Amino acid sequence: MLLYLSVLDTQEEKDKFTEIYERYQHFCWYVANQQLGDAHLAEDAVQEAFLALTRHLHKVEDVDSPRTKKFLMTIVKSKAIDILRKRKGGEIPAEELKTDIPDSGRDLLDQYITKENYNYLISCILELDEAYRVVFECKYVHQMSDGEIAQLLNITPKLANVRFYRARKKLQEMLEKEVAARAGKR
């Protein structure tokens, strides 16, 4: 952990990072291990994820929020997929990625409608190529800039922007097909 702390400038950043690390290190390892199926590789993915977090620590406002947990999960999954890609030499199928549906406090019908739409949207996102999906998730879920995404994924900001544009275009096409299909059933 000293390596991570040495990268940070202020004591406030170091305290925040320490709290995040202590709170989420086991969760991150679990997520990585689910993707990789290897404890040692999972540790590598977690180390890379926390190193990346030192560059994006300003994105974390509340250590205890579900958004922080989702942000870490995104980073860890991305690092785990990078490790898999290096080991296997190719793309990782989208079906291997898992996602959870957030629970809302609305009435049952409202939850059903929301979950139905959410599930469809998630299935569309998971159908995207992994490179597009990660950029899309970073941009929308974590509200990262192209530069931040580029730094996190070791690509250029222009490539991050292009991938985001292509992901949006592909999702829009998928959603338009679904709307047309639903309209045809009525």
Side-chain angles (χ1 to χ4, degrees), residues 124 127-129 132 164-177:
C124 288
E127 287 180 36
L128 293 172
D129 291 339
Y132 297 148
F164 174 71
Y165 173 79
R166 289 179 181 165
R168 267 184 61 124
K169 186 175 179 182
K170 181 68 176 167
L171 278 174
Q172 190 171 353
E173 290 170 3
M174 287 186 220
L175 293 173
E176 285 172 357
K177 285 180 185 176

PDB file of all heavy atoms in Angstrom, residues 124 127-129 132 164-177:
ATOM      1  N   CYS A 124     -28.256  -5.033 -24.066  1.00  0.00           N
ATOM      2  CA  CYS A 124     -27.719  -4.338 -25.250  1.00  0.00           C
ATOM      3  C   CYS A 124     -26.279  -3.900 -25.003  1.00  0.00           C
ATOM      4  O   CYS A 124     -25.421  -4.062 -25.869  1.00  0.00           O
ATOM      5  CB  CYS A 124     -28.575  -3.125 -25.604  1.00  0.00           C
ATOM      6  SG  CYS A 124     -30.178  -3.545 -26.309  1.00  0.00           S
ATOM      7  N   GLU A 127     -23.885  -6.669 -25.261  1.00  0.00           N
ATOM      8  CA  GLU A 127     -23.665  -7.127 -26.629  1.00  0.00           C
ATOM      9  C   GLU A 127     -22.610  -6.302 -27.354  1.00  0.00           C
ATOM     10  O   GLU A 127     -22.088  -6.730 -28.384  1.00  0.00           O
ATOM     11  CB  GLU A 127     -24.971  -7.080 -27.426  1.00  0.00           C
ATOM     12  CG  GLU A 127     -25.957  -8.165 -27.041  1.00  0.00           C
ATOM     13  CD  GLU A 127     -27.234  -8.079 -27.854  1.00  0.00           C
ATOM     14  OE1 GLU A 127     -27.170  -7.737 -29.048  1.00  0.00           O
ATOM     15  OE2 GLU A 127     -28.297  -8.369 -27.287  1.00  0.00           O
ATOM     16  N   LEU A 128     -22.304  -5.129 -26.815  1.00  0.00           N
ATOM     17  CA  LEU A 128     -21.270  -4.295 -27.433  1.00  0.00           C
ATOM     18  C   LEU A 128     -19.917  -4.990 -27.344  1.00  0.00           C
ATOM     19  O   LEU A 128     -19.677  -5.766 -26.413  1.00  0.00           O
ATOM     20  CB  LEU A 128     -21.167  -2.942 -26.715  1.00  0.00           C
ATOM     21  CG  LEU A 128     -22.343  -1.989 -26.828  1.00  0.00           C
ATOM     22  CD1 LEU A 128     -22.131  -0.797 -25.901  1.00  0.00           C
ATOM     23  CD2 LEU A 128     -22.514  -1.524 -28.258  1.00  0.00           C
ATOM     24  N   ASP A 129     -19.047  -4.683 -28.281  1.00  0.00           N
ATOM     25  CA  ASP A 129     -17.674  -5.152 -28.159  1.00  0.00           C
ATOM     26  C   ASP A 129     -17.124  -4.647 -26.837  1.00  0.00           C
ATOM     27  O   ASP A 129     -17.440  -3.540 -26.400  1.00  0.00           O
ATOM     28  CB  ASP A 129     -16.809  -4.609 -29.304  1.00  0.00           C
ATOM     29  CG  ASP A 129     -17.173  -5.223 -30.653  1.00  0.00           C
ATOM     30  OD1 ASP A 129     -17.787  -6.308 -30.656  1.00  0.00           O
ATOM     31  OD2 ASP A 129     -16.832  -4.609 -31.679  1.00  0.00           O
ATOM     32  N   TYR A 132     -15.808  -1.058 -26.589  1.00  0.00           N
ATOM     33  CA  TYR A 132     -16.838  -0.019 -26.605  1.00  0.00           C
ATOM     34  C   TYR A 132     -17.593   0.004 -25.273  1.00  0.00           C
ATOM     35  O   TYR A 132     -17.929   1.061 -24.766  1.00  0.00           O
ATOM     36  CB  TYR A 132     -17.824  -0.247 -27.742  1.00  0.00           C
ATOM     37  CG  TYR A 132     -17.212  -0.174 -29.117  1.00  0.00           C
ATOM     38  CD1 TYR A 132     -17.697  -0.951 -30.152  1.00  0.00           C
ATOM     39  CD2 TYR A 132     -16.138   0.666 -29.390  1.00  0.00           C
ATOM     40  CE1 TYR A 132     -17.149  -0.889 -31.429  1.00  0.00           C
ATOM     41  CE2 TYR A 132     -15.578   0.728 -30.658  1.00  0.00           C
ATOM     42  CZ  TYR A 132     -16.088  -0.046 -31.663  1.00  0.00           C
ATOM     43  OH  TYR A 132     -15.545   0.010 -32.923  1.00  0.00           O
ATOM     44  N   PHE A 164     -16.573   5.714 -27.756  1.00  0.00           N
ATOM     45  CA  PHE A 164     -17.818   6.144 -27.117  1.00  0.00           C
ATOM     46  C   PHE A 164     -18.872   6.460 -28.174  1.00  0.00           C
ATOM     47  O   PHE A 164     -20.022   6.035 -28.062  1.00  0.00           O
ATOM     48  CB  PHE A 164     -17.576   7.365 -26.226  1.00  0.00           C
ATOM     49  CG  PHE A 164     -18.840   7.936 -25.664  1.00  0.00           C
ATOM     50  CD1 PHE A 164     -19.539   7.257 -24.677  1.00  0.00           C
ATOM     51  CD2 PHE A 164     -19.346   9.138 -26.121  1.00  0.00           C
ATOM     52  CE1 PHE A 164     -20.724   7.758 -24.166  1.00  0.00           C
ATOM     53  CE2 PHE A 164     -20.523   9.651 -25.610  1.00  0.00           C
ATOM     54  CZ  PHE A 164     -21.208   8.963 -24.629  1.00  0.00           C
ATOM     55  N   TYR A 165     -18.490   7.181 -29.221  1.00  0.00           N
ATOM     56  CA  TYR A 165     -19.413   7.515 -30.303  1.00  0.00           C
ATOM     57  C   TYR A 165     -19.971   6.251 -30.952  1.00  0.00           C
ATOM     58  O   TYR A 165     -21.176   6.130 -31.192  1.00  0.00           O
ATOM     59  CB  TYR A 165     -18.707   8.390 -31.342  1.00  0.00           C
ATOM     60  CG  TYR A 165     -19.540   8.647 -32.565  1.00  0.00           C
ATOM     61  CD1 TYR A 165     -20.550   9.601 -32.551  1.00  0.00           C
ATOM     62  CD2 TYR A 165     -19.339   7.912 -33.732  1.00  0.00           C
ATOM     63  CE1 TYR A 165     -21.340   9.825 -33.668  1.00  0.00           C
ATOM     64  CE2 TYR A 165     -20.117   8.130 -34.859  1.00  0.00           C
ATOM     65  CZ  TYR A 165     -21.120   9.086 -34.826  1.00  0.00           C
ATOM     66  OH  TYR A 165     -21.898   9.296 -35.924  1.00  0.00           O
ATOM     67  N   ARG A 166     -19.105   5.305 -31.237  1.00  0.00           N
ATOM     68  CA  ARG A 166     -19.537   4.053 -31.875  1.00  0.00           C
ATOM     69  C   ARG A 166     -20.434   3.233 -30.954  1.00  0.00           C
ATOM     70  O   ARG A 166     -21.394   2.600 -31.405  1.00  0.00           O
ATOM     71  CB  ARG A 166     -18.329   3.234 -32.310  1.00  0.00           C
ATOM     72  CG  ARG A 166     -17.604   3.861 -33.485  1.00  0.00           C
ATOM     73  CD  ARG A 166     -16.391   3.064 -33.886  1.00  0.00           C
ATOM     74  NE  ARG A 166     -15.704   3.702 -35.011  1.00  0.00           N
ATOM     75  CZ  ARG A 166     -14.483   3.406 -35.389  1.00  0.00           C
ATOM     76  NH1 ARG A 166     -13.793   2.458 -34.758  1.00  0.00           N
ATOM     77  NH2 ARG A 166     -13.928   4.024 -36.397  1.00  0.00           N
ATOM     78  N   ALA A 167     -20.117   3.232 -29.655  1.00  0.00           N
ATOM     79  CA  ALA A 167     -20.954   2.512 -28.690  1.00  0.00           C
ATOM     80  C   ALA A 167     -22.348   3.122 -28.638  1.00  0.00           C
ATOM     81  O   ALA A 167     -23.348   2.399 -28.652  1.00  0.00           O
ATOM     82  CB  ALA A 167     -20.308   2.545 -27.299  1.00  0.00           C
ATOM     83  N   ARG A 168     -22.425   4.434 -28.578  1.00  0.00           N
ATOM     84  CA  ARG A 168     -23.721   5.126 -28.559  1.00  0.00           C
ATOM     85  C   ARG A 168     -24.522   4.827 -29.823  1.00  0.00           C
ATOM     86  O   ARG A 168     -25.721   4.554 -29.761  1.00  0.00           O
ATOM     87  CB  ARG A 168     -23.522   6.640 -28.456  1.00  0.00           C
ATOM     88  CG  ARG A 168     -23.544   7.165 -27.067  1.00  0.00           C
ATOM     89  CD  ARG A 168     -23.427   8.665 -27.108  1.00  0.00           C
ATOM     90  NE  ARG A 168     -24.550   9.228 -27.838  1.00  0.00           N
ATOM     91  CZ  ARG A 168     -25.372  10.129 -27.350  1.00  0.00           C
ATOM     92  NH1 ARG A 168     -25.178  10.589 -26.149  1.00  0.00           N
ATOM     93  NH2 ARG A 168     -26.362  10.588 -28.057  1.00  0.00           N
ATOM     94  N   LYS A 169     -23.863   4.888 -30.953  1.00  0.00           N
ATOM     95  CA  LYS A 169     -24.532   4.643 -32.230  1.00  0.00           C
ATOM     96  C   LYS A 169     -25.081   3.212 -32.278  1.00  0.00           C
ATOM     97  O   LYS A 169     -26.222   2.986 -32.676  1.00  0.00           O
ATOM     98  CB  LYS A 169     -23.553   4.884 -33.379  1.00  0.00           C
ATOM     99  CG  LYS A 169     -24.181   4.803 -34.739  1.00  0.00           C
ATOM    100  CD  LYS A 169     -23.183   5.162 -35.814  1.00  0.00           C
ATOM    101  CE  LYS A 169     -23.827   5.048 -37.190  1.00  0.00           C
ATOM    102  NZ  LYS A 169     -22.896   5.333 -38.261  1.00  0.00           N
ATOM    103  N   LYS A 170     -24.273   2.247 -31.865  1.00  0.00           N
ATOM    104  CA  LYS A 170     -24.698   0.843 -31.868  1.00  0.00           C
ATOM    105  C   LYS A 170     -25.871   0.623 -30.897  1.00  0.00           C
ATOM    106  O   LYS A 170     -26.843  -0.054 -31.245  1.00  0.00           O
ATOM    107  CB  LYS A 170     -23.507  -0.058 -31.490  1.00  0.00           C
ATOM    108  CG  LYS A 170     -23.829  -1.525 -31.484  1.00  0.00           C
ATOM    109  CD  LYS A 170     -24.103  -2.048 -32.872  1.00  0.00           C
ATOM    110  CE  LYS A 170     -24.331  -3.551 -32.822  1.00  0.00           C
ATOM    111  NZ  LYS A 170     -24.882  -4.071 -34.043  1.00  0.00           N
ATOM    112  N   LEU A 171     -25.795   1.215 -29.698  1.00  0.00           N
ATOM    113  CA  LEU A 171     -26.885   1.086 -28.728  1.00  0.00           C
ATOM    114  C   LEU A 171     -28.165   1.711 -29.271  1.00  0.00           C
ATOM    115  O   LEU A 171     -29.248   1.153 -29.103  1.00  0.00           O
ATOM    116  CB  LEU A 171     -26.519   1.748 -27.398  1.00  0.00           C
ATOM    117  CG  LEU A 171     -25.668   0.922 -26.459  1.00  0.00           C
ATOM    118  CD1 LEU A 171     -25.258   1.746 -25.248  1.00  0.00           C
ATOM    119  CD2 LEU A 171     -26.407  -0.321 -26.001  1.00  0.00           C
ATOM    120  N   GLN A 172     -28.037   2.858 -29.898  1.00  0.00           N
ATOM    121  CA  GLN A 172     -29.198   3.518 -30.472  1.00  0.00           C
ATOM    122  C   GLN A 172     -29.849   2.631 -31.521  1.00  0.00           C
ATOM    123  O   GLN A 172     -31.075   2.501 -31.559  1.00  0.00           O
ATOM    124  CB  GLN A 172     -28.786   4.856 -31.072  1.00  0.00           C
ATOM    125  CG  GLN A 172     -29.950   5.716 -31.484  1.00  0.00           C
ATOM    126  CD  GLN A 172     -29.506   7.121 -31.859  1.00  0.00           C
ATOM    127  OE1 GLN A 172     -28.359   7.495 -31.689  1.00  0.00           O
ATOM    128  NE2 GLN A 172     -30.444   7.887 -32.375  1.00  0.00           N
ATOM    129  N   GLU A 173     -29.050   1.988 -32.363  1.00  0.00           N
ATOM    130  CA  GLU A 173     -29.587   1.072 -33.377  1.00  0.00           C
ATOM    131  C   GLU A 173     -30.320  -0.100 -32.721  1.00  0.00           C
ATOM    132  O   GLU A 173     -31.409  -0.489 -33.153  1.00  0.00           O
ATOM    133  CB  GLU A 173     -28.465   0.554 -34.268  1.00  0.00           C
ATOM    134  CG  GLU A 173     -27.874   1.593 -35.185  1.00  0.00           C
ATOM    135  CD  GLU A 173     -26.599   1.122 -35.882  1.00  0.00           C
ATOM    136  OE1 GLU A 173     -26.175  -0.048 -35.703  1.00  0.00           O
ATOM    137  OE2 GLU A 173     -26.005   1.948 -36.607  1.00  0.00           O
ATOM    138  N   MET A 174     -29.727  -0.663 -31.662  1.00  0.00           N
ATOM    139  CA  MET A 174     -30.356  -1.792 -30.969  1.00  0.00           C
ATOM    140  C   MET A 174     -31.687  -1.381 -30.344  1.00  0.00           C
ATOM    141  O   MET A 174     -32.676  -2.114 -30.433  1.00  0.00           O
ATOM    142  CB  MET A 174     -29.425  -2.325 -29.879  1.00  0.00           C
ATOM    143  CG  MET A 174     -28.245  -3.097 -30.368  1.00  0.00           C
ATOM    144  SD  MET A 174     -27.409  -3.768 -28.911  1.00  0.00           S
ATOM    145  CE  MET A 174     -25.739  -3.548 -29.344  1.00  0.00           C
ATOM    146  N   LEU A 175     -31.707  -0.211 -29.710  1.00  0.00           N
ATOM    147  CA  LEU A 175     -32.921   0.257 -29.055  1.00  0.00           C
ATOM    148  C   LEU A 175     -34.007   0.591 -30.077  1.00  0.00           C
ATOM    149  O   LEU A 175     -35.188   0.326 -29.837  1.00  0.00           O
ATOM    150  CB  LEU A 175     -32.621   1.459 -28.164  1.00  0.00           C
ATOM    151  CG  LEU A 175     -31.738   1.153 -26.954  1.00  0.00           C
ATOM    152  CD1 LEU A 175     -31.359   2.437 -26.227  1.00  0.00           C
ATOM    153  CD2 LEU A 175     -32.406   0.173 -26.003  1.00  0.00           C
ATOM    154  N   GLU A 176     -33.629   1.151 -31.209  1.00  0.00           N
ATOM    155  CA  GLU A 176     -34.601   1.448 -32.259  1.00  0.00           C
ATOM    156  C   GLU A 176     -35.235   0.161 -32.784  1.00  0.00           C
ATOM    157  O   GLU A 176     -36.442   0.116 -33.039  1.00  0.00           O
ATOM    158  CB  GLU A 176     -33.939   2.224 -33.397  1.00  0.00           C
ATOM    159  CG  GLU A 176     -33.663   3.672 -33.051  1.00  0.00           C
ATOM    160  CD  GLU A 176     -32.826   4.400 -34.099  1.00  0.00           C
ATOM    161  OE1 GLU A 176     -32.399   3.774 -35.102  1.00  0.00           O
ATOM    162  OE2 GLU A 176     -32.596   5.603 -33.902  1.00  0.00           O
ATOM    163  N   LYS A 177     -34.433  -0.902 -32.937  1.00  0.00           N
ATOM    164  CA  LYS A 177     -34.972  -2.193 -33.377  1.00  0.00           C
ATOM    165  C   LYS A 177     -35.967  -2.738 -32.355  1.00  0.00           C
ATOM    166  O   LYS A 177     -37.011  -3.277 -32.715  1.00  0.00           O
ATOM    167  CB  LYS A 177     -33.848  -3.199 -33.591  1.00  0.00           C
ATOM    168  CG  LYS A 177     -33.050  -2.976 -34.846  1.00  0.00           C
ATOM    169  CD  LYS A 177     -31.950  -4.015 -34.990  1.00  0.00           C
ATOM    170  CE  LYS A 177     -31.062  -3.714 -36.185  1.00  0.00           C
ATOM    171  NZ  LYS A 177     -29.941  -4.657 -36.273  1.00  0.00           N
TER     172      LYS A 177
END
